[in-house]
Amino acid sequence: MSYLDFYKLKELPFNNVPDLRYFYKEPPFDEAIKKIGDSIKDGKRVITVIGGCGIGKTIISRKILNIFEKDSDNYEINLQVYLHSDIAAGLFLHKLAMQLHLDVNDEKKGSFEDVTKKLCELGDKGKHSIILIDEANMIEKKEVYEEIRGLVDFMSDVQMGFSVVFFGLPILEKKIAIDEPLSHRVETRVVLRPLPTTQATVQYIEYRLNVSGNKKNIFNDEAYNEI
């Protein structure tokens, strides 16, 4: 008998994937969403979202992506995910150029001028551009942070709506500080905390179990306390 059959579930409730059906719309997750969303709408240029492993950074980033994608008349939002530390200068702009549907090939990797021109065109249409960077703590090289800061500064100079949101482990703050001017441009800092009480944890688990099709209690009080 399989795990799903034994517990009478339609699907696995605790998969480590950012499935928005499982987004838990309670503190501290809904508070983080509101703070990030309000900061973007208020025109904050650089936002950091800091949290330990498994605390919810990735699903929050996807929720923000989902929210602003629905308002495509006013926002252009793109997501970059860095899964390794071998990130050289130019990759950030190259990926952004591809997401902005610029003509990118091996010979032309999407110059700063190409990207800023496109962002300004979007701004002229009344769109606020948002770049989400998940696993940003994987960025090691100062040149990459300088590249991002250069884009932030340019968009500030031309007074176009523009926000960069970094999601990463606590070490991200030290890494951003490699480029001190960029660290001074951080206008909103969101720190994700664990669920505050056993009861909050119970409610979170039961929510995920309910989404997965569970109709009866799987864990007893002793198990919840251990979790």
Side-chain angles (χ1 to χ4, degrees):
M1 181 178 289
S2 72
Y3 176 99
L4 295 179
D5 291 336
F6 185 83
Y7 289 109
K8 294 181 171 54
L9 300 170
K10 294 184 296 184
E11 58 193 48
L12 297 176
F14 304 111
N15 271 341
N16 190 23
V17 293
D19 186 336
L20 291 182
R21 292 176 302 142
Y22 287 90
F23 181 78
Y24 187 54
K25 301 174 185 178
E26 298 291 339
F29 307 107
D30 62 340
E31 295 169 345
I33 290 293
K34 185 177 188 310
K35 188 171 183 179
I36 298 165
D38 287 349
S39 295
I40 292 171
K41 292 173 184 176
D42 289 343
K44 304 301 184 186
R45 299 287 178 168
V46 182
I47 301 161
T48 59
V49 183
I50 306 297
C53 292
I55 211 75
K57 298 182 298 298
T58 292
I59 197 166
I60 287 173
S61 71
R62 303 312 190 268
K63 184 65 175 177
I64 291 292
L65 179 68
N66 176 258
I67 289 169
F68 285 96
E69 276 184 333
K70 291 177 180 177
D71 191 5
S72 58
D73 289 340
N74 295 305
Y75 296 94
E76 170 73 25
I77 187 165
N78 294 287
L79 170 69
Q80 298 193 15
V81 183
Y82 292 117
L83 300 178
H84 57 81
S85 59
D86 187 23
I87 304 161
L91 178 61
F92 167 76
L93 283 176
H94 178 60
K95 293 180 75 170
L96 182 56
M98 291 178 64
Q99 291 171 329
L100 293 172
H101 307 293
L102 296 177
D103 181 17
V104 176
N105 52 50
D106 291 339
E107 289 75 36
K108 180 184 177 184
K109 293 194 172 182
S111 68
F112 183 86
E113 291 75 16
D114 295 330
V115 169
T116 53
K117 180 181 178 182
K118 179 66 174 181
L119 292 175
C120 287
E121 289 173 356
L122 292 169
D124 289 337
K125 295 177 182 177
K127 287 194 174 186
H128 181 127
S129 294
I130 309 165
I131 303 171
L132 309 179
I133 305 177
D134 195 14
E135 304 290 354
N137 52 275
M138 298 301 290
I139 301 173
E140 298 280 355
K141 294 182 172 63
K142 181 180 180 181
E143 292 81 2
V144 181
Y145 291 111
E146 289 175 337
E147 193 170 63
I148 296 170
R149 173 171 54 84
L151 192 57
V152 170
D153 288 349
F154 179 89
M155 296 303 290
S156 297
D157 289 341
V158 296
Q159 299 182 341
M160 296 289 182
F162 183 77
S163 300
V164 178
V165 188
F166 294 92
F167 296 82
L169 296 172
I171 196 173
L172 172 62
E173 293 185 293
K174 290 184 178 179
K175 292 190 174 183
I176 287 178
I178 293 172
D179 183 55
E180 187 175 357
L182 178 60
S183 67
H184 286 295
R185 285 158 176 73
V186 176
E187 297 180 85
T188 299
R189 179 175 177 267
V190 179
V191 179
L192 303 177
R193 306 292 185 189
L195 291 165
T197 65
T198 298
Q199 185 58 33
T201 303
V202 170
Q203 292 170 349
Y204 171 72
I205 291 171
E206 289 181 344
Y207 172 77
R208 293 191 71 109
L209 288 171
N210 182 63
V211 173
S212 69
N214 176 247
K215 301 300 182 184
K216 64 178 182 178
N217 293 330
I218 288 179
F219 301 107
N220 59 26
D221 289 344
E222 184 179 358
Y224 278 126
N225 287 329
E226 186 68 21
I227 293 169

